[in-house]
């Protein structure tokens, strides 16, 4: 990372000749041949006033107040006319490069029309919005690039060549905007594990703005993350002394909590000054490994490799395991987490996420990382910052099980590139950029028979392999269903599997038979259906009432009385949730779909309270359905 002379983190200037008007530095007008020499003080004040309110009318009285803040002369209004004439000549001198701008006289004042890409302030705000959008979608490298570009538009001290209180007030506002952008950039850099790169930059900014507590806290986080804990604590003590001396106040509660968290983390790690923290007591709240885990050798190997190799576009490895209910996502994540424990010596954190409150989840994770409750801030953003600072220098495996939305994952991403995140979800989590994904399908016949033998008894499977094959097929080779069938057959008292297979073949009994102790296939599938938007679920139940032949989009549209476009949106939504699956067909044949057998029989059961056949036919557009 480089730092420009004015303190902005180095980034290439926007393409082209750059903004034609500049407020983020000395007042700038760029003509076809380069910057245009600026006129006298009054014209600079007037131009700055018009640019700061670009595309809005500046009342004549406001212009007079800015030009003569103390005591305007009797001829002030006439002199404003002369100033505006001079500005028009300036714009004409600028020629083609500023030719789109126009100074318009209005009944109550003046208006300067400027395109958004002509003014550096507008471009800065556009890049900031772009960065926010990238960050919200988890695209942190792109967010960093946009923030650096926004900061690169600052050319030096703001409006130092424009006199008057108005310019000074606006300069403070624009400088505050710059510092807020810097702080936002630092958070993104931390999330990408770049603490070491930003230490010199933050140190200089804290020297320039010693009373700005968030910058001071970020410098403390960066120093602690690279093993300079003693320096981080000294930065706090120096700030404390300064604030007491200058303001008569102690540091804010957030800065005090951060200092305490760093101290606790260092003490738990047995850190000596100048050494990276290496925690001795490590969290390891993983659930027990699945004893009858069967098959999935390729998926296990790929997940392990990706957890170590990182993912494209970000330094933090994130692997998402997806698939429908009962497919074995949690079992695979548990198996992999136990296999890689030695590769993450600072511990593992396991969270069953779902729709859990993010702030509460973070509190549990911070507690597992040995922070006392009083060191955990109430504010969600402050908790996220603290979590990322505590994890910045550690090698942790974070397992997030049963995630419903990508937005639930982003605040839980650790701060260090040495960590890794393993997520399970029924959904693809498309908004989680930089993640690699593994979708689990039904077990192979061989693996399904092996799992059935593990639970029902290998001798039973060996005694009647054809009937065993029939059972796993009736289970859709879904691991949860095969496990339930095996447990039920083992407890039935029948000497063989044929009687159980006959009961399982009865569609009225099948889901009842696939329940053994805590294993309940119907409940697992219904919990998945319950997360669908009600109109989508009702539509799925209506489609499931048809014969089991593969469905075309035309058939879906005709059955539900919707357009082909809405039918496509609906089927895409149901496929993502594992409620429908594609049927392979030869291109260019149109796509066809079918319900997994167990899902179909769940859907043919009782629908939600308040649903009826008439309502099932009303399928909204993709926006209303959330598809």
């Amino acid at each position: 990372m480089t730092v420009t002379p004015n303190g902005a983190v180095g980034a290439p200037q926007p393409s082209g000749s750059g903004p034609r008007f500049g407020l983020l530095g000395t007042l700038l007008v760029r003509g076809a041949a380069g910057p245009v020499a600026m006129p006298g003080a009054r014209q600079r004040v007037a131009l700055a006033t018009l640019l700061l309110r670009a595309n809005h009318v500046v009342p004549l009285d406001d212009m007079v107040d800015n030009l003569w803040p103390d005591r305007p002369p009797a001829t002030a209004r006439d002199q404003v006319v002369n100033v505006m004439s001079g500005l028009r000549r300036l714009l004409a001198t600028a020629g083609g490069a500023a030719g789109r701008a126009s100074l318009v006289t209005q009944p109550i004042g003046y208006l300067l029309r400027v395109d958004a890409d002509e003014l550096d302030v507008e471009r800065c705000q556009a890049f900031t919005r772009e960065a926010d959008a990238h960050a919200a979608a988890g695209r942190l490298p792109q967010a960093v690039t946009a923030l650096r570009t926004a900061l690169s538009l600052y050319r030096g001290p703001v409006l130092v060549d424009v006199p008057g209180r108005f310019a000074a007030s606006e300069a403070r506002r624009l400088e505050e905007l710059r510092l807020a952008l810097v702080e936002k950039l630092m958070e993104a850099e931390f999330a990408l594990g770049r603490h070491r790169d930003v230490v010199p930059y933050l140190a200089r900014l804290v020297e320039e703005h010693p009373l700005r507590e968030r910058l001071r806290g970020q410098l403390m986080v960066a120093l602690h993350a690279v093993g300079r804990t003693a320096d981080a604590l000294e930065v706090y003590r120096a700030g404390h002394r300064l604030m007491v001396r200058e303001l008569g106040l102690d540091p804010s509660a957030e800065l005090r909590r951060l200092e305490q968290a760093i101290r606790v983390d260092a003490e738990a790690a047995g850190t000596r000054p100048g050494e990276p923290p290496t925690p001795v007591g490590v969290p390891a709240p993983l659930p027990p490994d699945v004893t009858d885990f069967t098959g999935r050798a390729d998926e296990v190997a790929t997940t392990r490799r990706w957890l170590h190799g990182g993912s494209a576009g970000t330094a933090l490895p994130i692997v998402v395991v997806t698939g429908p209910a009962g497919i074995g996502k949690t079992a695979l994540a548990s198996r992999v987490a136990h296999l890689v424990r030695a590769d993450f010596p600072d511990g593992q954190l396991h969270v069953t996420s779902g729709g859990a409150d993010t702030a509460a989840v973070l509190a549990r994770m911070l507690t597992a990382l040995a922070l006392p409750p009083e060191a955990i801030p109430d504010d969600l953003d402050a908790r996220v910052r603290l979590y990322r600072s505590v994890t910045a220098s550690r090698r942790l495996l974070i397992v997030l099980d049963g995630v419903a939305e990508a937005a639930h994952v982003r605040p839980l991403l650790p701060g260090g590139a040495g960590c890794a995140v393993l997520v399970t979800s029924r959904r693809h989590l498309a908004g989680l950029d930089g993640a690699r994904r593994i979708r689990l399908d039904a077990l192979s016949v061989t693996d399904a028979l092996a799992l059935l033998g593990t639970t029902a008894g290998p001798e039973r499977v060996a005694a009647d392999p054809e009937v065993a094959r029939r059972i796993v097929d009736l289970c859709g080779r879904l691991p949860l269903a095969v496990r339930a069938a095996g447990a039920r057959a083992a407890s039935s008292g029948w000497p063989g599997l044929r009687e159980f297979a006959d009961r399982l073949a009865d569609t009225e009994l099948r889901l009842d038979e696939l329940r053994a102790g805590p294993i309940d296939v119907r409940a697992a599938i219904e919990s998945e259906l319950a997360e669908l938007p009600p109109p989508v679920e009702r539509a799925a139940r209506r489609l499931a009432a048809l014969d089991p032949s593969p469905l075309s989009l035309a058939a879906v549209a005709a059955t539900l009385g919707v357009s082909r476009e809405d039918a496509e949106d609906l089927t895409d939504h149901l496929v993502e949730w594992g409620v429908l699956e594609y049927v392979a067909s030869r291109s260019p044949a149109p796509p066809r779909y079918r319900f997994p057998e167990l899902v179909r029989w769940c859907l043919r059961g009782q629908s939600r309270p308040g649903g009826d056949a008439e309502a099932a036919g009303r399928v909204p557009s993709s926006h209303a359905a959330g598809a």
Side-chain angles (χ1 to χ4, degrees):
M1 175 177 296
T2 59
V3 180
T4 59
N6 62 309
V9 177
Q13 282 283 353
S15 60
S17 59
R20 297 173 178 88
F21 296 94
L23 294 166
L24 302 179
T26 55
L27 190 61
L28 171 70
V29 176
R30 192 188 303 277
V36 176
M38 294 304 300
R42 285 180 187 168
Q43 286 188 335
R44 292 199 300 275
V45 171
L47 179 58
T49 300
L50 292 166
L51 288 173
L52 286 162
R53 301 186 189 177
N55 302 307
H56 293 83
V57 175
V58 177
L60 181 58
D61 288 343
D62 289 357
M63 185 65 73
V64 168
D65 288 342
N66 289 347
L67 287 168
W68 296 278
D70 295 322
R71 182 178 298 175
T75 59
R77 291 173 176 263
D78 293 334
Q79 291 190 49
V80 169
V81 173
N82 293 334
V83 170
M84 294 303 151
S85 296
L87 288 182
R88 288 193 175 93
R89 288 192 295 273
L90 177 71
L91 296 178
T93 301
R100 286 179 290 171
S102 59
L103 179 56
V104 181
T105 302
Q106 298 285 313
I108 63 169
Y110 296 90
L111 178 148
L112 182 60
R113 292 199 177 102
V114 178
D115 287 350
D117 65 341
E118 291 185 304
L119 182 58
D120 58 2
V121 172
E122 294 292 336
R123 294 186 69 169
C124 183
Q125 292 173 347
F127 283 120
T128 303
R129 290 191 295 271
E130 179 184 329
D132 290 341
H134 283 311
R139 298 185 294 268
L140 291 177
Q142 294 91 329
V144 165
T145 298
L147 287 168
R148 288 182 183 178
T149 306
L151 284 164
S152 74
L153 293 168
Y154 280 82
R155 294 168 285 109
V158 175
L159 295 179
V160 290
D161 59 336
V162 181
R165 290 192 295 269
F166 169 76
S169 174
E170 289 296 321
R172 287 192 294 272
R173 180 180 68 82
L174 293 173
E175 176 63 14
E176 176 64 30
L177 173 64
R178 181 179 78 87
L179 292 175
L181 287 175
V182 168
E183 291 166 348
K184 188 178 293 188
L185 173 62
M186 292 302 101
E187 293 297 333
E189 297 281 19
F190 289 169
L192 292 172
R194 298 171 180 168
H195 300 77
R196 190 175 303 278
D197 294 339
V198 302
V199 165
Y201 178 47
L202 278 170
R204 189 166 63 77
L205 281 172
V206 169
E207 185 177 348
E208 294 172 357
H209 305 277
L211 295 176
R212 194 171 182 93
E213 289 187 288
R214 190 174 180 193
L215 284 177
R216 186 173 293 275
Q218 288 179 325
L219 177 57
M220 292 164 60
V221 168
L223 288 168
H224 177 58
V226 300
R228 296 171 57 184
T229 301
D231 291 337
L233 296 175
E234 177 54 33
V235 167
Y236 174 81
R237 287 191 291 268
H240 191 176
R241 290 192 296 268
L242 178 68
M243 292 172 197
V244 170
R245 184 174 67 250
E246 297 290 330
L247 305 175
L249 298 173
D250 286 329
S252 66
E254 182 174 342
L255 198 63
R256 295 198 304 272
R257 287 193 198 102
L258 177 60
E259 185 266 349
Q260 185 177 5
I262 291 174
R263 190 179 296 280
V264 168
D265 188 40
E267 291 172 356
T271 303
R272 292 191 297 273
E275 287 188 354
T278 42
V280 286
V282 297
L286 292 177
D289 195 5
V290 180
T291 56
D292 62 354
F293 186 85
T294 305
R296 309 288 197 201
D298 290 343
E299 291 90 341
V300 168
T302 299
T303 304
R304 293 184 67 177
R305 185 173 71 253
W306 284 352
L307 286 174
H308 290 98
S311 56
T314 177
L316 177 70
I318 306 172
V319 181
V320 181
V321 181
T322 68
I327 202 69
K329 302 180 293 294
T330 298
L332 183 135
S334 180
R335 169 56 56 93
V336 171
H338 282 277
L339 288 173
V340 302
R341 286 181 69 164
D343 302 318
F344 296 93
D346 295 329
Q348 305 84 41
L349 294 174
H350 180 277
V351 174
T352 301
S353 177
D357 177 65
T358 301
V361 170
L362 278 169
R364 293 201 301 271
M365 296 173 81
L366 288 167
T367 300
L369 291 168
L371 267 74
E374 61 270 17
I376 300 174
D378 296 329
D379 179 67
L380 175 59
D381 289 340
R383 284 189 186 182
V384 172
R385 291 195 294 271
L386 177 59
Y387 168 68
R388 288 178 177 162
S389 71
V390 169
T391 58
S393 58
R394 297 189 181 188
R395 294 176 59 193
L396 293 160
L397 175 65
I398 312 297
V399 182
L400 306 175
D401 192 24
V403 170
E405 302 285 348
H408 297 165
V409 177
R410 296 185 201 111
L412 307 181
L413 296 178
C419 299
V421 180
L422 180 56
V423 181
T424 71
S425 178
R426 294 173 183 174
R427 305 183 67 182
H428 186 68
L429 302 185
L432 193 60
D433 286 359
R436 285 175 148 168
R437 293 169 176 81
I438 291 180
R439 182 168 181 85
L440 299 184
D441 296 314
L443 291 171
S444 68
V445 173
T446 300
D447 289 340
L449 289 172
L451 179 58
L452 182 65
T454 300
T455 50
E459 67 286 348
R460 288 183 172 184
V461 172
D464 204 341
E466 289 187 7
V467 172
R469 169 67 186 268
R470 183 182 174 207
I471 289 174
V472 298
D473 285 344
L474 289 169
C475 292
R477 288 183 272 122
L478 191 74
L480 185 70
V482 173
R483 191 174 283 113
R488 190 68 175 250
S491 63
S492 65
W494 295 316
L497 296 175
R498 188 171 300 276
E499 294 86 347
F500 178 73
D502 291 340
R503 290 181 63 82
L504 203 59
D506 186 337
T507 57
E508 298 296 324
L509 298 175
R510 185 174 306 167
L511 290 170
D512 291 331
E513 293 296 326
L514 294 177
R515 184 172 60 224
I519 305 174
D520 188 338
V521 173
R522 187 200 303 272
I525 295 174
E526 287 287 2
S527 70
E528 180 174 87
L529 299 176
E531 295 181 25
L532 291 170
V536 175
E537 186 216 4
R538 290 195 295 269
R541 291 187 186 277
R542 185 167 182 180
L543 293 173
L546 303 175
D547 67 66
S549 302
L551 292 164
S552 66
L553 284 175
V556 173
T559 300
L560 301 177
V562 298
S563 69
R564 183 183 176 88
E565 181 182 8
D566 282 344
E568 188 170 5
D569 286 339
L570 174 69
T571 53
D572 286 347
H573 192 83
L574 293 174
V575 167
E576 181 187 7
W577 279 89
V579 178
L580 271 183
E581 58 188 15
Y582 288 110
V583 178
S585 60
R586 294 182 179 178
S587 181
R592 299 175 76 82
Y593 308 87
R594 69 182 171 205
F595 290 99
E597 191 71 2
L598 296 176
V599 173
R600 189 165 73 89
W601 288 111
C602 269
L603 285 167
R604 288 168 70 99
Q606 181 64 40
S607 57
R608 290 187 198 173
D612 53 35
E614 180 184 357
R618 295 195 295 268
V619 182
S621 67
S622 59
H623 297 293

